[in-house]
Amino acid sequence: MRKPGLIILFSILILLLVFNPGFALTKVKGTETNEKLTASDSIVLQIVKVEKKRVIALANELLAEKPRTVTASSSSRSVGGKHDFFSEGPYWWPDPANPDGPFIRNDGVRNPDRFNDHDVSLRNLSWIVGTQTSAYLISGKEKYASAAMKHLSAWFIDTATRMNPNMLYAQAIRGICTGRGIGIIDAVPLIDVARSIMILEKSPYVSGKDIVLIKAWFEQFISWLTSHQYGIDEMNAKNNHGTWWHAQLAAYARLVGDRKVLELCSDHYKNIILPGQMAADGSFPLELERTKPYSYSLFNLDALASLAWNLTDSSFDAWNYSLPDGRGLKLGLEFIKPYLENKSAWPYMKDVDHWDEQPYARQFMLFAAMAWNKPEWFDLWKTLNQNFKSNDSRISQSLKNPILWIDLKNNNLIK
């Protein structure tokens, strides 16, 4: 039987390896994080205090969940195989003038009759693995690491149930296409999964061979995302799709230690994403044109903040980088903050649905609090709604596990 003291010691060593003091110079096969990104101990402690009870309770509840991958369900409309992810564009509906013809777009309004089983399963994977890994970080208990690995094995290792490392058939449109580059955004939940794997690989309870196999899956996914035309289309997208493509690539590249991909993302962040997406006032014009301009603006900020968090290292501080005219993350957050504090002041169109539920507590607020040692961003996050009233709201919340992203360098966090 393992002694509690040894478990605590192992947990502390894991935290020191994964989250070096001050987010400082943590090497991941050629990558390193920037010691300028020193998170405030008090903010970190407060985040853990707020999240700990919820995380442990949810992790215990989710222990009984069995893995459910893309092989558990299928659609006759998919031209892919049983291991291929398939989804249908959420905003596409039958044409009243031609019911049997190609679907037509109704932006912002989700079609409840579309096939989205795989989408739900992938999001649940992120929810479960992220929660179990968070619980493991807080408690050091083997059961949480083992539970997370059970799901990771099913999705990325087991040949009977694993998902193929591509998104060829995502967001298909009946009568128009069997898949689209736009569908790559359905893989965003894997960002939290990739972060979880980085933590779990340091655990004494996790097989190194399993981690190698899982990383191999992500290496194949990176290759597909950067070479297939769908991935190239998303890389060049000028709205949140382009941001999330880069946010995904940076997360996966940091997991597998692909410095070349990280450098590509850094270059695009500086030379394409910021100058191409952000207006002089810090807004995102292409998001403001949507039928849900408020939630899409927040959605894009989550992507930009996640990307900056993974890109920041000793050679590039994405959080404090700005263009010569001042456009950067700080300006983007300064633009949105008054409307988080007082949504009624929003000068643009209201979202076509779920307007009253907004805003939710978003991960970019915690990134800002830690990156800049700004408690006011944590205070704002804490005051906003953290309970999802609708599935749409939960879907738009792409990063759901704050504990995965904080600097747990303080040994007193382990009880």
Side-chain angles (χ1 to χ4, degrees), residues 368-383:
M370 294 186 290
W372 296 323
N373 286 335
K374 295 288 188 181
E376 59 265 32
W377 277 106
F378 168 73
D379 293 338
L380 179 60
W381 174 85
K382 189 169 57 174
T383 62

Side-chain angles (χ1 to χ4, degrees), residues 294 343 353-361 384-394 396:
Y294 187 78
K343 186 178 63 176
D353 62 0
H354 306 295
W355 170 253
D356 293 337
E357 299 175 20
Q358 298 291 334
Y360 282 89
L384 293 176
N385 189 358
Q386 296 176 50
N387 297 311
F388 304 104
K389 292 183 179 179
S390 67
N391 188 52
D392 265 15
S393 296
R394 179 175 172 177
S396 70

Side-chain angles (χ1 to χ4, degrees), residues 272-384:
I272 297 177
I273 296 175
L274 286 179
Q277 290 198 31
M278 186 176 287
D281 64 354
S283 66
F284 302 112
L286 289 180
E287 309 308 329
L288 295 178
E289 292 176 1
R290 302 293 296 272
T291 60
K292 297 192 289 188
Y294 187 78
S295 59
Y296 268 109
S297 294
L298 303 183
F299 187 56
N300 200 36
L301 276 172
D302 260 350
L304 198 63
S306 170
L307 174 59
W309 197 257
N310 273 315
L311 291 182
T312 296
D313 58 25
S314 60
S315 63
F316 176 49
D317 185 352
W319 270 89
N320 291 297
Y321 175 84
S322 63
L323 300 173
D325 60 8
R327 285 179 293 169
L329 255 176
K330 283 186 177 180
L331 185 64
L333 291 174
E334 287 171 1
F335 168 81
I336 203 67
K337 191 176 182 184
Y339 310 122
L340 294 170
E341 296 170 333
N342 179 18
K343 186 178 63 176
S344 64
W346 182 246
Y348 306 96
M349 185 183 82
K350 293 181 179 180
D351 290 5
V352 294
D353 62 0
H354 306 295
W355 170 253
D356 293 337
E357 299 175 20
Q358 298 291 334
Y360 282 89
R362 313 286 301 212
Q363 182 63 37
F364 72 77
M365 302 172 192
L366 295 183
F367 283 146
M370 294 186 290
W372 296 323
N373 286 335
K374 295 288 188 181
E376 59 265 32
W377 277 106
F378 168 73
D379 293 338
L380 179 60
W381 174 85
K382 189 169 57 174
T383 62
L384 293 176

